Amino acid sequence: MDNSLSLKLNTISSLLLLLSSLSLSSTAYTIPPQYFINCGSPSSTKLYGLQTFVGDENSGVISSGNTSPVENSTSSNTEIYQTARIFRNPSVYELDIAQNGTHVVRFHFFPFSALGNLSDARFSVEASIFKVLSNFSFQNSSNYSNFPIIEEFLITIPVGKLRIRFLPDDETNSFAFVNAMEVFIAPPDLIRDATIGVSREGREANDDSRLLFLLSSALHIIHRINVGGENITSNSDKLYRNWIPDDNYLLNKEIAKNSVPYGGRLSNEYSMELELVAPSSVYITAKEFSASDDDQLNSSSRIQWRFDVKKGATHLVRLHFCDIVSTTANEFLRFNLFINSNFTHQVYPYDHGSRTAAPFYIDFKVDSDDSGFMNISVGPKNDSRPPTAFLNGLEIFELLTELGSESNTTKRSLVLIVTGSCIGGLIFVVVCLIMLYFVFRKRKWKPADQTFNHPVAPLYVGSTHSKSSDKTVSGSSHDQLNLGLKLSFSEIVYATKNFDTKLVIGEGGFGKVYKGMLRNGIKVAVKRSEAGHGQGIHEFQTEIIVLSKIRYQHLVSLIGYCDEGDEMILVYEFMEKGTLREHLYVVEGETGKSNPVSELSWEERLGICIGAAKGIHYLHTGSSVAIIHRDIKSTNILLDSDYVAKVADFGLSRSGPADDQTHVSTAVKGSFGYLDPDYFRCLQLSQKSDVYSFGVVLLEVVCARPVIDQLLQREEVSLAEWGMCWQRKGELEKIVDGMLVGKINPNSLRKFGETVEKCLEEYGGDRPNMVDVLWDLEYCLQLQHTAIVRAPYEDTTTDVALGLGIQMNVLQRLPSHSISMGNHSCSFSESIDHVREL
C-alpha cells in the first residue's frame, strides 16, 4: 500500500469510526454472539461458561480450500481443543461483518498429537488486508503439549466480508491448523487514536508521529500483565482476555513488593467503560516500590521490568494505574514512569480522581530499538510524599504493517465501502448544516477577511461537553467552525492549572501563551485572548478554519479551541524549544539592547530555514486553495525538541488569488520590519509577500539581531536595508553573527546571500517562488559540506523540482506568474495604522 493511499484510508476510516462511535457510546456494550467458531467440529460447545462456539463443519463459513477436521484422541478439559481443522493448501473463512469498527480477532492453537509432526506445521494467517501471523510454527512440540496458544489481534474492519486466510508454506508436507476462532466488535473506546509518542532514542516525539491512526491499523497483543497479582483467566474478564503475573519479567525484585490487595470498592470513576479496558482484578493489586527510610533515592531507585519485543517495530504500550497504596486521597503523591532509558513521564494519580482507588491508564506509542527488549520502570520522586511508586497492569501491542496477499483487492473494496458510507454521512451533515443556516442566519457572524469556509474533520478530537451555547463574544453562531475541535473551558483550566502565571511561556498579538497538559497526557500550548492585544474574533475564526483544512509536518497543529462565554482560546501542540528568535538573540527589557545568544551551528540554522521554507511552500501549493500566511517572522517559526521548524500563527492568513489573478487586494496587515513594501504601497497581497518576509527572517538567522533596532545608527536600523547594503557590496560576511565567524563555507554564505537578495527584491514579480527558495537553501547546505567552487551559471534555479523531488503538481505552478508593475499608478500610503507592531 503506497503512503498516500494508506493515509487516505486511515483518515477516511478514522472519520467513519468516529461517526459510528457516537451512536455506540450512548449504549451499554455487550459482546455480540458472532463469531465464536469451533473449528473442525460438526457440533457446538461452550467456553468461558457463557459463549457458545459453533461447529464450522456444517456452517458454510469456509469458502474454499482443501481442509479436513481432526479429533484429539487424548483427554482435554476444554472441548474446543478436542478438534481442529487442518489446511493442506491456502484456505479461506468468510465472515459477514455487520458493523464498522475495531474488532477483536483471536485464534486458538492446541497442538495435540493427532495433528502429526508439529515441525511440519508452518504457516501464515491473513485477516482483512493484514498478514497477522507470518511463518508461524511449533519447533518443539513438547513445549506446547499441555496448554493452548492464543493469538489476539485488534483490527479495524468495515461492513462486508471479512476473509481470514490460512496459508501453509510452500515446503513439502507443510500444513496449517486452527482449533477455534473468535471475531467480535470491540467496545468503541477501547483504542484511542492519539497517543504520546516515544522515539526509538527514548525521547518524546512532538511531531506527527504521535498520530498513530490506531483506529485504522492492526494491533497484535504480545504482553498482557497483571502487575502484583495472580493469573486472571478469560472467564473473569468481560472481553475474555488472559492476564499473567509480572514476576518473570521483574529485574530488581529486592526493591519491589506486592501491595496488599484492595478490599474496598473502586472509586466512582471506575465506570463500565473502564471495566472493559481492564477488569477490576487488575486495579486491586499492584507492585509497589519498597525501600527503607535510610535508603538514599537516586536515578536507579526504581522497579524495572523487561519485555521481549520485535526489533525496530512500533508498539502501543498501555500502563494501568490505581492508587491503592495510599490510605486517603493524596494530592502530594507523584512518581516517574520510565520507558527504556531516556523517556520519563510524571504520573500524578490525583489528576485522575480526587478519591483513593481511582483507576486510570496512559497510552504511549513506542518505537523499539534494535535490542529486542523494552524496559518499563517506575520510581519515586524526591519531593513526593510519600516517596513511592506503583504499577497495576501493563499491555504491549505490536503495530502490524505487513499487508496480506489480497490487500490490493481488499483496499479497493475498503475505499469504495468507506467512501460510500462517508459520502452518505456527509450528505446528511450538509443537509443539517443548511437547515441550521436558515434558522440562524439572522445571527450569523460577519465573515472574516478570508475565504476558508469548508473545514474538514480534524485529526485531533476534543471534548464537546461545553455547557454554553456555541457563540462568540458578539453572540454570533459558529456555523463555520469545526465543532469536532472544541474543548471545554474546564479542560483548559485543568491543562493550565487555572492559568498559572508560572506556566506562561510567551505573549503575542493574541494574548498570553501557557504551557499545559491535557488529561490524556499530551503537552499543549494554550493561547488565551486578551483585550487590547490587537487580534480578535476574525483572527480567532481564521486560525481555526485554516488549521482545520491543512496538516503538515512543518506546520504547527491545532489541537482544539474554546469559545465559552467571553473566552477565545486556541490549543496547539507544544513546541519544546520555543520560537526561532529565542535561539538567535535576546532584547533587554529596559534598555531595549539586543544581544546574540545563539549556539546553533550554521548547519542547524540552515536546517531550520529549510523546514520553515517547506511549511510556507506547503501553504502556497499543498491544497486546492493557496494560502498566504501574511505574518512570517522569527517568532512565528517554532522548534520542536529536535529543532525541527514549524510555521505557526495563522490568524492573519488569506486565501491566495484565483488562477487567473496575480494578487488579492486587501488592507495591509503584518509585522513592521517584515512587511512587503510592494504590498504596503499597492495593497496587493500575493504569495511573494510571504517570500519577502521570509527573506528578512533569513537575515535574522545569519546576523542574529532584530529586524528593527532603533538604538543603532540610522543606516543600520532596518535589518533588510542594512543587510542588502552589505550583500550588494559582496561583503555579507562582515555582519554575520560572531558565533559563525570562520565556520561558514564561503560558497554557502555566498549562495545564501544571493537567495536573501532575491527574496528582498522591491517588486513581488521579481522575487522567486518558495520552491526556488527551498532549493537554494538545500543547495546552501550542500555547499557547506563541500569545497567545490561552482561557476555562477551552475547556481541557476531552473528545473529546481528535479533536485527536490517535488510532486508533479508543483511543476504546473512553474514558472510563476510575474506581477507586471510597469508605471505604478497606485499611491504610496504614508500611514501605517494597519501595520501591527512587533
Side-chain angles (χ1 to χ4, degrees):
M1 183 186 296
D2 60 80
N3 292 336
S4 60
L5 179 56
S6 175
L7 180 60
K8 292 176 182 176
L9 286 174
N10 286 334
T11 305
I12 293 172
S13 299
S14 298
L15 174 60
L16 179 60
L17 293 172
L18 173 63
L19 293 173
S20 63
S21 67
L22 295 178
S23 60
L24 287 173
S25 59
S26 60
T27 59
Y29 171 83
T30 56
I31 293 181
Q34 294 181 320
Y35 285 92
F36 295 85
I37 302 173
N38 187 17
C39 300
S41 174
S43 58
S44 300
T45 185
K46 282 197 172 186
L47 186 65
Y48 312 134
L50 295 173
Q51 289 294 350
T52 298
F53 280 68
V54 179
D56 70 344
E57 193 161 310
N58 299 313
S59 64
V61 293
I62 301 178
S63 63
S64 63
N66 179 13
T67 70
S68 58
V70 62
E71 294 186 3
N72 186 1
S73 59
T74 61
S75 61
S76 175
N77 294 329
T78 308
E79 291 187 10
I80 65 168
Y81 301 129
Q82 293 181 359
T83 61
R85 184 165 293 277
I86 290 181
F87 310 94
R88 300 293 181 184
N89 57 17
S91 304
V92 179
Y93 279 89
E94 280 196 349
L95 310 178
D96 291 319
I97 301 300
Q99 188 174 351
N100 295 305
T102 300
H103 285 66
V104 177
V105 179
R106 288 196 190 103
F107 301 102
H108 295 255
F109 303 103
F110 184 68
F112 51 78
S113 58
L115 291 172
N117 187 356
L118 295 179
S119 64
D120 293 336
R122 191 183 305 273
F123 56 94
S124 299
V125 181
E126 298 176 357
S128 186
I129 64 173
F130 298 99
K131 178 174 283 189
V132 294
L133 291 175
S134 182
N135 296 321
F136 187 75
S137 65
F138 299 89
Q139 294 295 334
N140 189 343
S141 60
S142 62
N143 290 341
Y144 304 99
S145 59
N146 296 322
F147 56 89
I149 297 175
I150 302 174
E151 298 288 352
E152 178 183 319
F153 306 87
L154 295 173
I155 306 175
T156 296
I157 305 173
V159 171
K161 292 287 187 182
L162 168 62
R163 293 169 60 84
I164 299 177
R165 305 183 74 224
F166 289 85
L167 307 172
D169 278 7
D170 294 333
E171 300 175 5
T172 306
N173 297 324
S174 66
F175 64 91
F177 77 95
V178 65
N179 300 84
M181 295 191 304
E182 304 172 56
V183 178
F184 59 88
I185 192 165
D189 295 325
L190 184 63
I191 299 295
R192 298 173 180 174
D193 212 24
T195 67
I196 302 172
V198 182
S199 69
R200 60 180 295 159
E201 293 81 15
R203 297 191 298 268
E204 180 171 351
N206 291 317
D207 54 18
D208 288 345
S209 65
R210 75 169 60 237
L211 289 178
L212 202 52
F213 290 115
L214 292 173
L215 296 179
S216 49
S217 304
L219 297 172
H220 179 200
I221 182 69
I222 53 177
H223 297 290
R224 181 172 281 136
I225 310 297
N226 181 24
V227 179
E230 303 294 332
N231 272 311
I232 301 175
T233 58
S234 52
N235 57 352
S236 300
D237 186 297
K238 289 187 178 295
L239 296 185
Y240 308 141
R241 297 164 294 197
N242 292 290
W243 303 70
I244 65 173
D246 66 303
D247 295 324
N248 291 335
Y249 305 94
L250 193 61
L251 295 183
N252 48 350
K253 298 182 180 181
E254 65 279 359
I255 62 171
K257 68 175 182 179
N258 290 341
S259 63
V260 177
Y262 186 70
R265 295 184 58 184
L266 295 177
S267 174
N268 292 335
E269 283 88 347
Y270 186 66
S271 62
M272 178 63 71
E273 288 75 13
L274 189 55
E275 189 174 7
L276 293 170
V277 173
S280 58
S281 44
V282 169
Y283 292 115
I284 64 174
T285 60
K287 194 76 78 180
E288 180 183 358
F289 180 82
S290 175
S292 66
D293 296 336
D294 297 330
D295 291 341
Q296 295 295 320
L297 298 180
N298 52 53
S299 59
S300 62
S301 300
R302 61 180 77 167
I303 313 174
Q304 300 184 58
W305 296 265
R306 172 172 290 182
F307 300 94
D308 297 331
V309 296
K310 184 177 179 180
K311 297 180 180 179
T314 298
H315 297 84
L316 171 65
V317 179
R318 173 166 291 181
L319 289 310
H320 299 269
F321 300 95
C322 183
D323 184 6
I324 60 173
V325 303
S326 302
T327 56
T328 59
N330 187 354
E331 62 179 308
F332 303 105
L333 174 59
R334 292 177 173 85
F335 57 90
N336 289 323
L337 165 70
F338 305 89
I339 298 179
N340 292 329
S341 56
N342 295 327
F343 177 77
T344 306
H345 180 84
Q346 179 179 278
V347 180
Y348 184 26
Y350 195 80
D351 270 350
H352 302 273
S354 58
R355 299 170 56 188
T356 58
F360 63 97
Y361 66 91
I362 306 175
D363 285 346
F364 299 91
K365 187 223 73 169
V366 182
D367 296 326
S368 61
D369 56 24
D370 296 327
S371 67
F373 299 102
M374 183 182 298
N375 291 324
I376 306 292
S377 53
V378 292
K381 292 175 64 69
N382 290 325
D383 58 351
S384 176
R385 298 198 299 272
T388 189
F390 60 86
L391 180 65
N392 302 75
L394 175 144
E395 295 173 273
I396 300 178
F397 300 83
E398 179 189 338
L399 181 66
L400 302 179
T401 58
E402 185 176 2
L403 299 177
S405 58
E406 293 189 345
S407 61
N408 291 332
T409 302
T410 307
K411 67 185 179 186
R412 284 195 297 267
S413 301
L414 179 62
V415 170
L416 293 175
I417 292 169
V418 174
T419 303
S421 301
C422 286
I423 290 174
L426 289 175
I427 291 174
F428 174 77
V429 171
V430 169
V431 171
C432 292
L433 290 177
I434 292 174
M435 294 174 64
L436 289 173
Y437 170 78
F438 285 106
V439 172
F440 295 106
R441 67 177 183 174
K442 291 185 179 181
R443 296 185 295 168
K444 185 177 180 180
W445 270 10
K446 178 181 178 181
D449 184 24
Q450 41 73 36
T451 59
F452 306 114
N453 55 4
H454 298 288
V456 298
L459 296 178
Y460 283 106
V461 179
S463 170
T464 58
H465 298 299
S466 171
K467 295 182 180 179
S468 68
S469 59
D470 296 331
K471 296 183 179 181
T472 68
V473 290
S474 62
S476 301
S477 64
H478 284 211
D479 54 352
Q480 296 190 60
L481 299 188
N482 190 338
L483 296 181
L485 285 169
K486 190 171 182 182
L487 295 168
S488 67
F489 186 66
S490 61
E491 177 75 12
I492 305 297
V493 170
Y494 169 86
T496 61
K497 300 188 184 300
N498 198 18
F499 300 102
D500 189 341
T501 56
K502 295 179 181 179
L503 298 178
V504 174
I505 56 175
E507 186 170 1
F510 193 77
K512 288 186 173 65
V513 183
Y514 299 81
K515 180 180 178 180
M517 181 177 291
L518 300 178
R519 296 181 192 275
N520 59 8
I522 295 178
K523 294 180 181 178
V524 293
V526 179
K527 188 191 294 186
R528 187 186 192 189
S529 174
E530 294 183 11
H533 275 68
Q535 295 189 29
I537 197 169
H538 288 177
E539 290 77 11
F540 178 70
Q541 181 189 19
T542 300
E543 186 96 355
I544 297 169
I545 294 174
V546 170
L547 289 179
S548 295
K549 293 173 66 70
I550 56 177
R551 182 163 203 87
Y552 183 57
Q553 60 182 336
H554 292 291
L555 302 178
V556 172
S557 298
L558 180 70
I559 300 217
Y561 72 92
C562 174
D563 65 341
E564 295 184 18
D566 293 335
E567 296 288 349
M568 290 191 296
I569 299 173
L570 298 168
V571 181
Y572 306 88
E573 62 173 315
F574 181 69
M575 302 296 288
E576 193 75 34
K577 299 300 183 181
T579 69
L580 171 59
R581 179 178 297 180
E582 294 170 1
H583 296 273
L584 298 176
Y585 57 87
V586 295
V587 178
E588 297 177 3
E590 295 182 0
T591 64
K593 183 180 179 181
S594 65
N595 295 304
V597 296
S598 181
E599 296 182 356
L600 296 173
S601 67
W602 180 237
E603 290 88 344
E604 289 172 325
R605 299 190 200 200
L606 286 176
I608 291 170
C609 293
I610 290 169
K614 288 180 179 179
I616 301 169
H617 172 62
Y618 181 84
L619 288 174
H620 291 178
T621 64
S623 61
S624 58
V625 177
I627 299 172
I628 303 172
H629 188 281
R630 207 160 46 154
D631 199 18
I632 298 296
K633 56 184 179 181
S634 56
T635 53
N636 284 341
I637 296 173
L638 306 183
L639 308 176
D640 70 6
S641 59
D642 296 319
Y643 291 93
V644 174
K646 300 191 181 188
V647 179
D649 200 344
F650 299 86
L652 299 183
S653 298
R654 273 290 312 254
S655 60
D659 293 338
D660 58 347
Q661 297 176 325
T662 59
H663 62 269
V664 178
S665 297
T666 181
V668 175
K669 291 186 179 181
S671 294
F672 195 57
Y674 299 90
L675 195 62
D676 171 15
D678 201 10
Y679 169 38
F680 185 79
R681 277 194 303 269
C682 304
L683 307 184
Q684 294 179 349
L685 178 69
S686 72
Q687 295 176 5
K688 302 301 181 68
S689 301
D690 282 349
V691 174
Y692 182 91
S693 301
F694 186 64
V696 180
V697 172
L698 295 180
L699 276 180
E700 268 188 286
V701 168
V702 72
C703 297
R705 56 147 284 187
V707 296
I708 299 293
D709 193 338
Q710 300 287 353
L711 299 180
L712 299 176
Q713 298 180 20
R714 182 174 180 179
E715 65 272 15
E716 299 179 14
V717 169
S718 169
L719 175 60
E721 294 180 2
W722 185 58
M724 283 302 92
C725 177
W726 288 99
Q727 167 60 26
R728 294 186 183 105
K729 291 191 295 184
E731 298 178 338
L732 185 63
E733 69 276 3
K734 292 187 176 181
I735 62 170
V736 300
D737 181 7
M739 292 291 297
L740 298 177
V741 174
K743 300 178 182 178
I744 306 180
N745 185 310
N747 291 327
S748 177
L749 182 60
R750 175 180 59 83
K751 184 62 181 175
F752 187 84
E754 293 173 358
T755 304
V756 174
E757 186 174 6
K758 287 184 288 185
C759 290
L760 297 183
E761 288 286 350
E762 183 176 1
Y763 301 118
D766 297 330
R767 300 172 199 147
N769 293 315
M770 280 307 302
V771 65
D772 301 315
V773 178
L774 177 55
W775 188 89
D776 285 345
L777 292 173
E778 294 273 12
Y779 187 33
C780 291
L781 186 58
Q782 294 177 19
L783 290 174
Q784 178 64 16
H785 298 290
T786 178
I788 298 175
V789 178
R790 309 282 291 185
Y793 68 85
E794 294 181 277
D795 290 342
T796 176
T797 55
T798 304
D799 295 330
V800 293
L802 299 179
L804 285 175
I806 302 298
Q807 295 179 357
M808 291 303 297
N809 64 343
V810 175
L811 297 178
Q812 299 173 5
R813 306 181 68 90
L814 300 175
S816 62
H817 299 291
S818 297
I819 303 177
S820 179
M821 300 304 297
N823 296 323
H824 302 286
S825 58
C826 55
S827 61
F828 179 79
S829 173
E830 296 293 333
S831 170
I832 58 172
D833 292 340
H834 296 293
V835 180
R836 179 158 53 83
E837 294 292 333
L838 284 172

